[in-house]
Amino acid sequence: MTTTRQLFTIPLRPAIGDRFQPTGFPNLGAAVFDRPVADGGWERCLLVESEQSMANRLEATLWDHPNLRPIELISRLPHIRIVDPEGKFLTSSRLEAHRIASAYVREGSVDGVKAVDVINGRLGLDSDRQRAPHEIAAGLFALDPMVLIHGVFMSHKSFPGQPKVARTITAFVEAHDVREAYGGGVKKDSVFTGQQAGRGSSEGYGMVPFDRIEWTAREIVANVDLDLQQVASYGLPREAGDLLIALARLELRYLLEGGLRFRTACDLVVDGDPVDHDGNPLPVASELEAAVSEGIKASAGLLGPVLTVTWNKG
């Protein structure tokens, strides 16, 4: 039977101590839920890091943040670079939530031509003709292959047909059998410790005690789903599909090795070597780097140039 997905359940633990701080949401706080267990009962669980956040963290592993560009290994892969009218870097399709469908791309220009028209032309989007999914995939691969890994929804009406690509790799972190760990602290003011109108806590003055809820858990796991069937459905040449899979695996390897320090009070480490559900280990970084390098060379004829979009806030 052909494997259609590569699934990982990777055990994690706090780097120090036992407590950790999960992700939180406005008007909700920590995302607590119950899951069924083997004895027919239920146990209390917690979302530690969401799919959206993990996607951002995976993408960030291949971005050279100090130099505002992709890391050297993938520097030959195309992407969209957004600059201001003076040519100063603003953002890119590797950083934007909607990637190539970002408002900064959509409302920008390329050498005086509307960027949306350039992108529609590259993808062959036309209101008079529905493009086949494999044609869209080939166009996206030429614009920014990472879009085919992390997804895009070109929902704006300026994109005919409004193409949508789901994430090829999905990851999230959960904690199981959790308990609250109550604590707190004091915001210290070593200069002004009294009370005076205009110098209260709302203005940032004085000694302000606060409470905080952290958590402990019987287990913490990172769940990862790499959809190999979706990559195959793109209809790209084999070397291009292999490149996408190698890139996704490399992002995962880099993220696990680089540390999972999600927040000040949430620093997690991998507790054992990552092995998928079929018993296959995640390849080491050097092996994946070699696969990515070879894949880029083999796919050179399918890759377009880096596209520079100028966004004028005026």
Side-chain angles (χ1 to χ4, degrees):
M1 183 176 67
T2 302
T3 300
T4 59
R5 292 182 296 166
Q6 186 174 27
L7 304 174
F8 292 89
T9 302
I10 303 168
L12 309 175
R13 58 177 173 79
I16 55 174
D18 296 293
R19 293 171 292 130
F20 61 92
Q21 179 189 23
T23 188
F25 300 89
N27 304 317
L28 174 66
V32 181
F33 64 97
D34 294 329
R35 73 165 186 168
V37 291
D39 63 1
W42 295 79
E43 71 177 2
R44 200 171 180 220
C45 302
L46 190 65
L47 179 64
V48 179
E49 203 69 4
S50 69
E51 291 87 344
Q52 295 89 338
S53 179
M54 288 295 284
N56 293 337
R57 294 179 186 280
L58 286 165
E59 285 184 284
T61 63
L62 301 185
W63 183 260
D64 182 350
H65 293 273
N67 294 304
L68 303 174
R69 63 190 183 195
I71 64 172
E72 183 61 30
L73 176 67
I74 63 166
S75 60
R76 290 170 58 192
L77 290 182
H79 67 290
I80 297 178
R81 184 172 180 269
I82 299 112
V83 301
D84 68 11
E86 285 71 48
K88 182 180 178 181
F89 177 86
L90 294 175
T91 184
S92 85
S93 56
R94 303 285 174 79
L95 302 176
E96 283 297 293
H98 296 289
R99 300 174 182 87
I100 68 169
S102 162
Y104 295 102
V105 175
R106 194 178 67 245
E107 297 181 4
S109 62
V110 179
D111 297 327
V113 179
K114 289 183 178 180
V116 69
D117 293 337
V118 173
I119 291 173
N120 286 342
R122 296 280 185 90
L123 299 181
L125 300 183
D126 189 328
S127 58
D128 294 329
R129 174 180 178 243
Q130 187 69 33
R131 298 281 283 179
H134 73 274
E135 294 176 311
I136 298 292
L140 290 172
F141 189 85
L143 272 174
D144 186 349
M146 304 307 293
V147 168
L148 296 175
I149 296 176
H150 292 291
V152 66
F153 184 17
M154 305 175 74
S155 59
H156 196 270
K157 62 183 180 181
S158 59
F159 297 113
Q162 300 175 314
K164 183 177 184 179
V165 177
R167 292 189 182 100
T168 294
I169 186 170
T170 302
F172 56 92
V173 179
E174 292 179 346
H176 303 145
D177 196 6
V178 298
R179 301 291 185 275
E180 293 95 335
Y182 296 98
V186 175
K187 176 264 177 187
K188 184 179 179 182
D189 188 334
S190 58
V191 176
F192 180 75
T193 57
Q195 294 185 4
Q196 181 179 330
R199 290 186 178 176
S201 60
S202 60
E203 289 81 23
Y205 292 100
M207 310 287 280
V208 183
F210 60 89
D211 59 63
R212 180 170 62 194
I213 301 177
E214 294 174 309
W215 296 77
T216 59
R218 190 173 302 279
E219 75 170 357
I220 307 172
V221 294
N223 299 279
V224 183
D225 181 347
L226 176 55
D227 193 337
L228 306 178
Q229 182 59 42
Q230 178 168 317
V231 174
S233 75
Y234 293 150
L236 297 169
R238 180 187 56 79
E239 58 271 21
D242 289 347
L243 171 59
L244 293 176
I245 293 169
L247 285 165
R249 288 173 175 160
L250 182 61
E251 286 185 333
L252 179 58
R253 172 54 76 180
Y254 277 171
L255 182 63
L256 297 176
E257 289 187 354
L260 301 167
R261 192 168 191 263
F262 298 139
R263 284 162 290 282
T264 298
C266 191
D267 190 356
L268 307 177
V269 294
V270 178
D271 194 8
D273 293 328
V275 177
D276 70 18
H277 288 194
D278 293 322
N280 303 306
L282 180 66
V284 297
S286 59
E287 182 179 337
L288 292 169
E289 289 165 349
V292 167
S293 181
E294 288 302 314
I296 292 173
K297 292 178 183 177
S299 302
L302 305 173
L303 300 171
V306 172
L307 187 67
T308 299
V309 170
T310 302
W311 181 77
N312 190 338
K313 63 181 179 181

